[in-house]
Each structure stands twice: as C-alpha cells, then as structure tokens.
Coordinates of all heavy atoms in Angstrom, one line a residue:
I2 N 111.8 123.6 94.5 CA 111.9 124.1 93.1 C 112.9 125.3 93.1 O 113.7 125.4 92.1 CB 110.5 124.5 92.6 CG1 109.6 123.3 92.4 CG2 110.6 125.4 91.3 CD1 108.2 123.6 92.1
E3 N 112.8 126.2 94.1 CA 113.7 127.3 94.1 C 115.1 126.9 94.5 O 116.1 127.4 93.9 CB 113.2 128.3 95.2 CG 114.0 129.6 95.3 CD 113.4 130.6 96.3 OE1 112.3 130.3 96.8 OE2 114.1 131.5 96.6
K4 N 115.3 125.9 95.3 CA 116.6 125.5 95.8 C 117.3 124.7 94.7 O 118.6 124.8 94.7 CB 116.4 124.7 97.1 CG 117.7 124.4 97.8 CD 117.4 123.8 99.2 CE 118.7 123.5 100.0 NZ 118.4 122.9 101.3
Y5 N 116.6 124.0 93.9 CA 117.2 123.2 92.9 C 116.7 123.6 91.5 O 115.9 122.9 90.9 CB 117.0 121.7 93.2 CG 117.4 121.3 94.5 CD1 116.6 121.2 95.6 CD2 118.8 121.0 94.8 CE1 117.0 120.8 96.9 CE2 119.3 120.7 96.0 CZ 118.4 120.6 97.1 OH 118.9 120.3 98.3
P6 N 117.2 124.7 91.0 CA 116.8 125.2 89.7 C 117.0 124.2 88.5 O 116.4 124.2 87.5 CB 117.5 126.5 89.4 CG 118.7 126.4 90.4 CD 118.3 125.6 91.5
E7 N 117.9 123.2 88.7 CA 118.2 122.2 87.7 C 117.0 121.3 87.4 O 116.9 120.7 86.4 CB 119.4 121.3 88.1 CG 120.7 122.0 88.4 CD 120.8 122.3 89.9 OE1 119.8 122.7 90.6 OE2 121.9 122.3 90.4
L8 N 116.0 121.3 88.3 CA 114.8 120.5 88.1 C 113.9 121.1 87.1 O 113.1 120.4 86.4 CB 114.0 120.4 89.4 CG 114.6 119.6 90.6 CD1 113.8 119.8 91.8 CD2 114.8 118.2 90.2
N9 N 114.1 122.5 86.9 CA 113.1 123.2 86.0 C 111.7 122.8 86.5 O 110.8 122.4 85.7 CB 113.3 122.9 84.6 CG 114.6 123.5 84.0 OD1 114.8 124.6 84.2 ND2 115.3 122.7 83.3
G10 N 111.5 122.8 87.8 CA 110.3 122.3 88.4 C 109.1 123.2 88.3 O 109.2 124.4 88.2
E11 N 107.9 122.5 88.4 CA 106.6 123.2 88.4 C 105.8 122.5 89.4 O 105.6 121.3 89.5 CB 105.9 123.1 87.0 CG 104.5 123.7 87.0 CD 103.8 123.4 85.7 OE1 104.4 122.8 84.8 OE2 102.6 123.7 85.7
A12 N 105.2 123.3 90.4 CA 104.3 122.8 91.4 C 103.0 122.6 90.8 O 102.4 123.4 90.1 CB 104.3 123.8 92.6
R13 N 102.4 121.4 91.2 CA 101.1 121.1 90.7 C 100.2 120.5 91.8 O 100.7 120.0 92.8 CB 101.2 120.0 89.6 CG 101.8 120.6 88.3 CD 101.8 119.5 87.2 NE 102.4 120.0 86.0 CZ 102.6 119.2 84.9 NH1 102.1 118.0 84.9 NH2 103.2 119.7 83.8
G14 N 98.9 120.6 91.6 CA 97.9 119.9 92.5 C 97.4 120.8 93.6 O 97.7 122.0 93.7
R15 N 96.7 120.2 94.5 CA 96.2 120.9 95.7 C 95.9 119.9 96.8 O 95.8 118.7 96.6 CB 94.9 121.7 95.4 CG 93.7 121.0 94.7 CD 92.7 122.0 94.2 NE 91.6 121.4 93.5 CZ 90.4 121.0 94.1 NH1 90.2 121.3 95.4 NH2 89.5 120.5 93.4
G16 N 95.7 120.4 98.0 CA 95.5 119.5 99.2 C 96.7 118.6 99.4 O 97.8 119.0 99.3
L17 N 96.4 117.3 99.7 CA 97.5 116.3 99.8 C 97.5 115.5 98.5 O 97.7 114.2 98.6 CB 97.3 115.5 101.0 CG 97.7 116.2 102.3 CD1 97.4 115.3 103.5 CD2 99.1 116.6 102.3
M18 N 97.3 116.1 97.4 CA 97.4 115.5 96.1 C 98.2 116.5 95.2 O 97.7 117.3 94.4 CB 96.1 115.3 95.5 CG 96.1 114.5 94.1 SD 94.3 114.3 93.6 CE 94.6 113.2 92.1
Q19 N 99.6 116.5 95.4 CA 100.4 117.5 94.8 C 101.6 116.8 94.1 O 101.8 115.5 94.3 CB 100.9 118.5 95.8 CG 99.8 119.3 96.4 CD 100.3 120.5 97.2 OE1 101.2 121.3 96.8 NE2 99.8 120.6 98.4
G20 N 102.4 117.5 93.4 CA 103.5 117.0 92.7 C 104.5 118.0 92.2 O 104.2 119.2 92.2
I21 N 105.7 117.6 91.8 CA 106.7 118.4 91.1 C 106.9 117.9 89.7 O 107.4 116.7 89.5 CB 108.0 118.4 91.9 CG1 107.8 118.8 93.3 CG2 109.0 119.4 91.2 CD1 109.1 118.7 94.2
A22 N 106.5 118.7 88.7 CA 106.8 118.3 87.3 C 108.2 118.7 87.0 O 108.6 119.9 87.3 CB 105.8 119.0 86.4
V23 N 109.0 117.8 86.5 CA 110.4 118.2 86.1 C 110.6 118.0 84.6 O 110.0 117.1 84.0 CB 111.4 117.3 86.9 CG1 111.3 117.6 88.4 CG2 111.2 115.8 86.7
E24 N 111.5 118.8 84.1 CA 111.6 118.9 82.6 C 112.4 117.8 82.0 O 112.1 117.2 81.0 CB 112.2 120.3 82.2 CG 112.0 120.6 80.8 CD 112.4 122.1 80.5 OE1 111.5 122.9 80.7 OE2 113.6 122.3 80.1
K25 N 113.5 117.4 82.6 CA 114.5 116.5 82.0 C 113.9 115.0 82.0 O 113.4 114.5 83.0 CB 115.8 116.4 82.8 CG 116.8 115.5 82.2 CD 118.1 115.5 83.1 CE 119.1 114.5 82.5 NZ 120.3 114.4 83.4
E26 N 113.9 114.4 80.9 CA 113.4 113.1 80.7 C 114.0 112.1 81.6 O 115.3 112.0 81.7 CB 113.6 112.6 79.3 CG 112.9 111.3 79.0 CD 113.1 110.8 77.5 OE1 113.5 111.7 76.7 OE2 112.7 109.7 77.2
G27 N 113.2 111.3 82.4 CA 113.7 110.3 83.2 C 114.1 110.7 84.6 O 114.4 109.9 85.5
L28 N 114.2 112.0 84.8 CA 114.7 112.6 86.1 C 113.7 112.2 87.3 O 114.2 111.9 88.4 CB 114.9 114.1 86.0 CG 115.5 114.8 87.3 CD1 116.8 114.1 87.7 CD2 115.7 116.3 87.0
A29 N 112.4 112.4 87.0 CA 111.5 112.1 88.1 C 111.6 110.6 88.5 O 111.5 110.3 89.7 CB 110.0 112.4 87.6
S30 N 111.7 109.7 87.6 CA 111.9 108.3 87.9 C 113.1 108.0 88.7 O 113.1 107.2 89.6 CB 111.9 107.5 86.6 OG 110.6 107.6 85.9
E31 N 114.2 108.7 88.3 CA 115.5 108.5 89.1 C 115.3 109.0 90.5 O 115.8 108.4 91.4 CB 116.6 109.3 88.4 CG 117.1 108.8 87.1 CD 118.2 109.6 86.5 OE1 119.1 109.9 87.2 OE2 118.1 109.9 85.3
I32 N 114.6 110.1 90.7 CA 114.4 110.7 92.0 C 113.6 109.7 92.9 O 113.9 109.4 94.0 CB 113.8 112.0 92.0 CG1 114.7 113.1 91.4 CG2 113.3 112.5 93.4 CD1 114.1 114.4 91.0
C33 N 112.5 109.1 92.3 CA 111.7 108.2 93.0 C 112.4 106.9 93.4 O 112.2 106.3 94.4 CB 110.4 107.9 92.2 SG 109.3 109.3 92.1
A34 N 113.3 106.4 92.5 CA 114.0 105.2 92.7 C 115.0 105.4 93.9 O 115.2 104.6 94.7 CB 114.8 104.8 91.5
E35 N 115.7 106.6 93.9 CA 116.6 106.9 95.0 C 115.9 107.1 96.3 O 116.3 106.7 97.4 CB 117.4 108.1 94.6 CG 118.5 108.5 95.7 CD 119.5 107.4 96.0 OE1 119.8 106.6 95.1 OE2 120.0 107.4 97.1
A36 N 114.7 107.7 96.2 CA 113.9 107.8 97.4 C 113.5 106.5 98.0 O 113.6 106.3 99.3 CB 112.6 108.6 97.1
F37 N 113.2 105.5 97.2 CA 112.9 104.2 97.7 C 114.2 103.6 98.4 O 114.0 103.0 99.5 CB 112.5 103.2 96.6 CG 112.5 101.8 96.9 CD1 111.4 101.3 97.7 CD2 113.5 100.9 96.6 CE1 111.4 100.0 98.1 CE2 113.5 99.6 97.0 CZ 112.4 99.1 97.7
N38 N 115.3 103.8 97.9 CA 116.6 103.3 98.5 C 116.7 103.9 99.9 O 117.3 103.3 100.8 CB 117.8 103.6 97.7 CG 117.8 102.9 96.4 OD1 117.2 101.8 96.3 ND2 118.4 103.4 95.3
R39 N 116.2 105.1 100.1 CA 116.4 105.9 101.3 C 115.3 105.7 102.3 O 115.3 106.2 103.4 CB 116.6 107.4 101.0 CG 118.0 107.6 100.3 CD 118.1 109.1 99.8 NE 119.3 109.3 99.1 CZ 120.5 109.7 99.6 NH1 120.5 109.9 100.9 NH2 121.5 109.8 98.9
G40 N 114.2 105.0 101.9 CA 113.1 104.7 102.8 C 111.9 105.6 102.6 O 111.1 105.8 103.5
L41 N 111.6 106.0 101.3 CA 110.4 106.8 101.0 C 109.7 106.1 99.8 O 110.4 105.9 98.8 CB 110.8 108.2 100.7 CG 109.6 109.1 100.3 CD1 108.7 109.4 101.4 CD2 110.2 110.5 99.7
I42 N 108.5 105.9 100.0 CA 107.7 105.3 98.9 C 107.0 106.5 98.2 O 106.1 107.1 98.8 CB 106.6 104.3 99.4 CG1 107.3 103.2 100.2 CG2 105.8 103.8 98.2 CD1 108.2 102.3 99.4
V43 N 107.4 106.8 97.0 CA 106.8 107.8 96.2 C 106.8 107.4 94.7 O 107.8 106.8 94.3 CB 107.5 109.2 96.5 CG1 108.9 109.1 96.0 CG2 106.8 110.4 95.8
E44 N 105.8 107.8 94.0 CA 105.7 107.3 92.6 C 105.7 108.5 91.6 O 105.6 109.7 92.0 CB 104.5 106.5 92.3 CG 103.2 107.2 92.3 CD 102.0 106.4 91.7 OE1 102.3 105.5 90.9 OE2 100.9 106.7 92.0
T45 N 105.8 108.2 90.3 CA 105.7 109.2 89.3 C 104.3 109.3 88.7 O 103.5 108.4 88.9 CB 106.7 108.9 88.1 OG1 106.4 107.6 87.6 CG2 108.2 109.0 88.6
S46 N 104.1 110.3 88.0 CA 102.8 110.5 87.3 C 103.0 111.3 86.0 O 104.1 111.8 85.8 CB 101.9 111.3 88.2 OG 100.6 111.6 87.6

C-alpha cells in the first residue's frame, strides 16, 4: 500500500484472512487476472 500509492489501498482482515481494498473500479480484478497469468491463484471480494 505504501509502495504503490496509486492503489489508494486499505488493509483489511486478520489472521490469514486479509485483503487490499483498492479504489479504482476494476483494478482489483485486473491484478488478480495478471496474478493468474504469473502463477498465483487469488480472487476478489
């Protein structure tokens, strides 16, 4: 969140149930889609 201020990110959750809320519409989905291409399975919420 600090390194990429463009995210306008907010840390959420606790334990191993956490997330980054991002302000720009569609950005979280784009990040998750690219993560899949690179070998990471992660979803949006």
